[in-house]
Structure formats: structure tokens, C-alpha cells
Amino acid sequence: MSSDHKELSKPDTIQHDAFAQEMIRFWISNNQDHVSLKVGASGDPEKEPPMWGFMLADIAKHVTKVLREQNPDGPPAQEIMEQILGGIGERLRHAPGLTGTTRKVES
């Protein structure tokens, strides 16, 4: 990874949506995670966990799409998704604790 602090740009498709919200910002620094989260945006504590599950699933689908575009002769989308899910499972089983920082951003 580069030593430059480079933020990702916003997708052009959200520029004219007054209600667009950034929900997560994820950095890796000194081999630790540093995360800002907009928790509470659903307005209902019971809806919050599944909402984050949906977002994590959508992120996995977007990553799969980009990996397929970068390597069209590589593994099929289903195999990439299985690898992503396998990585999530491994991380939760073998490194259940957190490192780095977590910052809640007010809604």
C-alpha cells in the first residue's frame, strides 16, 4: 500500500442526491483498522443490525463486480463471493477482537 493518505472520491452518481449519506470510512494504518461509522441512521435500534448486514453484503457484491471486471478470465462471481464470505468467517473466528479505533459519527 502507498504511504500517501489518499481518500477515495465520491461516486459521480450521488452528486445530485441531497439525501446521500456516507455510512462508513475504513482506513488501515500501522496494520490496524481505523473506522468511522454512521450508526443510528435507521432511527430504529432493532433495524440497525440488519441494515448493516445489508450494507456489508452490498459491499461484497460491489467488490465481486470489480474483481470480475479486473480479471474476466478469473474465478466466477460465485467463487469470489464464497472467498469473501470465507475471509469474513476466518476473521471472526480467529481474530474476534478489535484493533485500532472506532469512531461513531452522529446521524
Side-chain angles (χ1 to χ4, degrees):
M1 289 192 188
S2 170
S3 63
D4 295 333
H5 292 182
K6 293 185 180 176
E7 294 182 16
L8 302 176
S9 59
K10 294 178 189 177
D12 293 337
T13 52
I14 70 162
Q15 297 303 324
H16 300 294
D17 181 355
F19 300 104
Q21 299 179 54
E22 182 176 33
M23 300 300 294
I24 184 169
R25 189 167 285 217
F26 188 99
W27 289 81
I28 299 172
S29 173
N30 296 319
N31 208 28
Q32 294 184 334
D33 305 336
H34 302 273
V35 183
S36 295
L37 301 167
K38 190 169 188 176
V39 176
S42 74
D44 181 347
E46 291 184 19
K47 291 181 180 176
E48 197 77 18
M51 181 187 81
W52 281 94
F54 295 157
M55 283 190 287
L56 293 172
D58 288 345
I59 290 168
K61 291 187 286 185
H62 286 286
V63 170
T64 297
K65 176 185 175 197
V66 171
L67 291 174
R68 286 288 302 142
E69 289 171 354
Q70 286 182 334
N71 186 11
D73 297 327
Q78 183 61 36
E79 187 176 326
I80 294 170
M81 185 63 71
E82 289 170 6
Q83 291 173 354
I84 291 170
L85 294 174
I88 292 170
E90 284 294 306
R91 186 68 167 179
L92 292 172
R93 273 191 300 283
H94 300 293
L98 289 173
T99 62
T101 56
T102 306
R103 183 176 141 240
K104 179 185 181 280
V105 177
E106 297 301 320
S107 297

